[in-house]
Amino acid sequence: MYNRRYSFAEQYVQEGSIQVGAASIYNEEAGYGLLEWTDPADNAADRFKGYGGWLPRPAEGRIEADIADTVYGVELREPGLPLRFRAAVPEEGVYAVTVRIHGGDEGITSLNLYTGRRNMVRRDITVAAGEVFEYRYYVHVCDYIPVVGKPARSDLSIYITTVGDIARLSEVTIERSEAPTLFLGGDSIVGDYDTRYPYNPIISGGSWGQNVLQYFDGVAVDNQAHGGMTTNCFRDDGHWAIITERIRPGDIFMFQFGHNDQKRRYLAPYAGYSANLRWYIQQVRQLGATPVIVTSLSRIPSRDEDGSYYDLLEEHAEACRKVGRELHVPVIDLHEHSFQLFCKMGTDALGGYFNDAAHTNDYGAVLMAQYIASEIKRQQIEPLCSLMNDYDPAPWTPDESLRPPTQVSPTDKPERPILPTDLPELPYVDCTGIKQLAGIKQAMARGLLDPCLKYFHPEAELPRGQFLFQFFKAAQSPPKRVYQGRYCDIYKYEFDAQNVQAALDAELIDEATTPNDRFRPDDGLTGSELLSFIVRALHEPEERAKLGLAACEMQARALGLIWDGYERDGKVNRADCTVALVEMMKLADAAKKRAADV
């Protein structure tokens, strides 16, 4: 049975233990050591392996921090800088990790302990002078898919990080274990996030999935959730395969989807989305494990015309509740809880818990993880409930003094993937060699595309409703008004509705394309319709209604917007549409520059 003891001070050295000092820097030959203050240029491809999810802020330049050897262990006295230890293990599986931290002569306060991909183990640890903090937890080491859509990657390592005014490690023991695993599935609301140091929780992206481990001492947590996922692409992009190859009887699969399913009309709440929920449940049960559904976290609530709050994810949450009742699966209703909580708090107070309209920072992540833990206990969801500890930390209140003075309030920021766009190559496996490749790369750099998906589907038709979502990214003018009911095939509380209203308000929709009071959100966008949107957007609002389809096509030819293979009434594929929007952005930029030069 694998067992390693790492001693960071002479007083902890025992027979068979491995002594680790401040100068013990990790290398593959030794298989253990502290991590250096480096930030290689290729970390956009994977910000976890070799870093544990902690990287320096580019503006800080090279960090020079002194890690010191003391009689109580290796320590770092630089607030906000992580003391990171990495230990290689021989194979995949579950390991028990025991961490010991001596309080020394002064004692330690407000120390955070993390493991894996910046997963919280304990927060605000206090160790009295002369006392020793000791805690045992479990980790599951296996493949994962990096944050920007790379193939599954192996990292046979255990990471242990402490951050605080005095960050210290005294002893670490790692042993093979047969403890069960809680596998997590979902999207960016659940997935692991890296952060930049010096650590600032108010601007660090975080998820409840990164924070649930602290409430368990009898189960490992393996977070396979990934930004941009729907119930379809979590399976199709390879994330589900990682779990099915490793999940065992007695394990648990807890999953939350909805934020991205909502943007695909074929994954409507009571159709494709519910069918996928049932599929995951059936698969998990066939493998002898236990499924648990979590409803989608509410976005920052919007206000209706009467001043009341609403959130567009309610129907996807209700679909989860119905499937849960139908198949007798526990449902943790995070959506209802968070929506009611956010309405009570008021949007002005929510900036301290969010990074944008949908994604929490570390404060919000801890708040949501705390609720999920409380619901497991309240509902007595087994086998999870029996694997929990009695940890009940004090609330973590956002410190607004940490917010950079130039940062836009999160309540004013639209939902965006919190991922890099300056990638060395596209993550899409189906774009190799296509004629639109250069334009697709430009679209990625301009933030039009989701950089965390495996497939782009360049030849697929683009539905009119989905097009508007991408169009308003390119136009950089997020919708501002609740849908007013113009078309009979648009429902007020669905994701497309505000985009349609914004297009109406901006005089971007040609009435000839919406016969019989129907916007036709599921119809493929035609070449002339695409040019109509683009050309109208390049004119002042008062001029747009005068521009019919033929006039827009004529102007588009003069502007060089006609692409190879253009057909007036033919359906536009995703690649051609994306490149056309990039060209629209370039023309808009040039117009702004000319206006500024006058």
Side-chain angles (χ1 to χ4, degrees):
M1 183 71 76
Y2 181 82
N3 186 310
R4 292 289 185 277
R5 183 188 298 269
Y6 298 95
S7 302
F8 296 82
E10 286 190 16
Q11 63 175 303
Y12 290 103
V13 175
Q14 302 178 23
E15 183 178 352
S17 65
I18 301 170
Q19 188 164 4
V20 182
S24 301
I25 303 302
Y26 182 86
N27 65 79
E28 296 292 342
E29 183 178 354
Y32 67 88
L34 303 171
L35 299 185
E36 292 187 287
W37 310 107
T38 57
D39 187 14
D42 64 351
N43 66 40
D46 186 353
R47 298 185 175 186
F48 295 114
K49 186 171 183 178
Y51 312 102
W54 297 87
L55 295 98
R57 297 191 186 284
E60 299 293 328
R62 179 171 175 79
I63 299 284
E64 297 291 349
D66 292 328
I67 299 175
D69 290 310
T70 76
V71 295
Y72 304 113
V74 170
E75 69 176 38
L76 174 63
R77 293 180 177 247
E78 294 284 350
L81 297 187
L83 177 64
R84 297 168 295 166
F85 175 68
R86 178 183 180 186
V89 291
E91 59 184 353
E92 289 190 1
V94 178
Y95 292 84
V97 180
T98 304
V99 175
R100 297 178 183 85
I101 301 171
H102 199 292
D105 297 327
E106 310 160 66
I108 296 174
T109 59
S110 298
L111 181 70
N112 290 351
L113 173 64
Y114 301 85
T115 194
R117 298 189 290 273
R118 208 173 70 86
N119 306 116
M120 179 78 81
V121 177
R122 274 289 189 270
R123 174 173 57 83
D124 289 337
I125 299 167
T126 296
V127 190
E131 299 294 324
V132 176
F133 167 83
E134 179 176 318
Y135 187 66
R136 181 183 178 88
Y137 61 91
Y138 298 89
V139 297
H140 186 264
V141 177
C142 81
D143 288 358
Y144 65 100
I145 293 179
V147 77
V148 290
K150 295 292 181 181
R153 177 167 199 177
S154 174
D155 185 4
L156 298 179
S157 302
I158 290 173
Y159 297 86
I160 300 162
T161 302
T162 58
V163 180
D165 291 344
I166 302 176
R168 180 182 294 147
L169 286 172
S170 302
E171 188 177 55
V172 169
T173 301
I174 300 173
E175 308 164 78
R176 199 70 164 84
S177 172
E178 294 300 320
T181 299
L182 167 59
F183 290 93
L184 300 180
D187 49 35
S188 57
I189 310 301
V190 190
D192 290 336
Y193 286 86
D194 62 272
T195 193
R196 295 283 183 173
Y197 55 79
Y199 176 53
N200 184 343
I202 208 161
I203 60 174
S204 291
S207 74
W208 65 257
Q210 277 186 303
N211 285 274
V212 293
L213 175 60
Q214 59 192 305
Y215 300 100
F216 296 95
D217 56 15
V219 63
V221 175
D222 189 323
N223 192 358
Q224 294 293 339
H226 189 282
M229 293 295 101
T230 66
T231 48
N232 269 4
C233 53
F234 186 79
R235 175 187 59 226
D236 298 342
D237 288 10
H239 307 273
W240 176 242
I242 293 174
I243 294 173
T244 55
E245 291 168 7
R246 295 161 178 85
I247 198 167
R248 304 169 299 173
D251 289 344
I252 307 97
F253 178 57
M254 181 184 288
F255 59 108
Q256 174 199 300
F257 294 96
H259 276 254
N260 299 303
D261 295 75
Q262 185 185 61
K263 301 166 190 174
R264 278 77 167 175
R265 295 177 65 87
Y266 57 85
L267 293 173
Y270 308 116
Y273 179 70
S274 289
N276 281 341
L277 296 181
R278 296 187 190 99
W279 185 86
Y280 282 113
I281 291 164
Q282 291 169 356
Q283 295 296 309
V284 170
R285 284 175 167 169
Q286 289 173 13
L287 292 164
T290 301
V292 178
I293 300 172
V294 181
T295 62
S296 295
L297 174 75
S298 171
R299 297 181 177 92
I300 293 177
S302 301
R303 281 192 181 273
D304 218 328
E305 299 97 327
D306 61 2
S308 60
Y309 287 111
Y310 70 93
D311 180 69
L312 299 178
L313 283 157
E314 171 55 32
E315 290 202 55
H316 281 77
E318 179 59 20
C320 291
R321 300 178 196 118
K322 286 187 174 182
V323 170
R325 290 192 295 268
E326 173 193 347
L327 299 181
H328 307 290
V329 174
V331 176
I332 297 175
D333 201 347
L334 181 62
H335 182 269
E336 178 66 12
H337 168 76
S338 58
F339 177 70
Q340 296 298 336
L341 176 64
F342 298 160
C343 292
K344 182 179 179 181
M345 293 173 66
T347 53
D348 290 344
L350 292 177
Y353 295 96
F354 279 84
N355 268 342
D356 62 24
H359 298 93
T360 52
N361 60 16
D362 277 350
Y363 290 113
V366 167
L367 187 66
M368 295 304 107
Q370 196 166 27
Y371 170 73
I372 287 173
S374 71
E375 275 297 284
I376 293 170
K377 287 186 177 180
R378 186 187 71 80
Q379 296 186 40
Q380 296 187 319
I381 298 173
E382 295 293 0
L384 285 174
C385 191
S386 299
L387 300 169
M388 300 184 77
N389 54 40
D390 295 323
Y391 185 53
D392 187 22
W396 202 19
T397 304
D399 183 354
E400 283 290 345
S401 69
L402 297 175
R403 187 179 301 284
T406 58
Q407 188 189 59
V408 176
S409 170
T411 58
D412 296 327
K413 294 170 66 177
E415 179 179 347
R416 290 284 189 271
I418 309 176
L419 295 167
T421 54
D422 55 339
L423 305 177
E425 58 187 53
L426 288 174
Y428 312 127
V429 299
D430 53 0
C431 286
T432 303
I434 64 172
K435 64 183 180 181
Q436 305 96 332
L437 184 60
I440 298 296
K441 288 182 177 180
Q442 292 178 51
M444 177 68 75
R446 286 176 173 266
L448 293 188
L449 303 179
D450 193 334
C452 56
L453 302 179
K454 186 174 182 180
Y455 298 98
F456 179 67
H457 304 294
E459 298 301 323
E461 292 180 5
L462 188 62
R464 285 164 53 88
Q466 191 175 344
F467 161 74
L468 286 183
F469 179 65
Q470 189 177 31
F471 174 85
F472 282 112
K473 281 186 179 181
Q476 299 179 331
S477 56
K480 294 180 171 60
R481 276 217 301 166
V482 176
Y483 179 62
Q484 302 297 304
R486 170 67 177 82
Y487 302 114
C488 63
D489 56 355
I490 297 294
Y491 170 49
K492 182 177 183 178
Y493 297 116
E494 61 185 336
F495 194 78
D496 298 321
Q498 282 187 296
N499 291 326
V500 172
Q501 187 60 49
L504 282 167
D505 291 342
E507 295 284 359
L508 294 170
I509 300 176
D510 190 315
E511 286 294 320
T513 67
T514 57
N516 299 316
D517 293 322
R518 284 170 167 78
F519 178 73
R520 304 183 294 114
D522 296 316
D523 286 0
L525 187 74
T526 68
S528 61
E529 289 170 349
L530 172 57
L531 295 181
S532 174
F533 277 108
I534 290 177
V535 172
R536 283 181 176 228
L538 295 172
H539 285 268
E540 294 299 322
E542 60 272 13
E543 301 173 6
R544 294 171 181 169
K546 306 171 188 175
L547 296 169
L549 295 177
C552 287
E553 181 180 304
M554 184 180 300
Q555 290 193 27
R557 289 188 184 280
L559 292 169
L561 291 171
I562 304 295
W563 58 91
D564 183 31
Y566 167 78
E567 295 180 26
R568 181 177 299 166
D569 298 318
K571 302 299 172 63
V572 184
N573 63 41
R574 290 170 56 85
D576 285 335
C577 181
T578 300
V579 174
L581 289 176
V582 170
E583 295 304 311
M584 180 188 80
M585 296 179 78
K586 291 178 181 177
L587 290 169
D589 290 345
K592 289 178 184 177
K593 186 177 186 303
R594 287 195 299 270
D597 291 340
V598 172

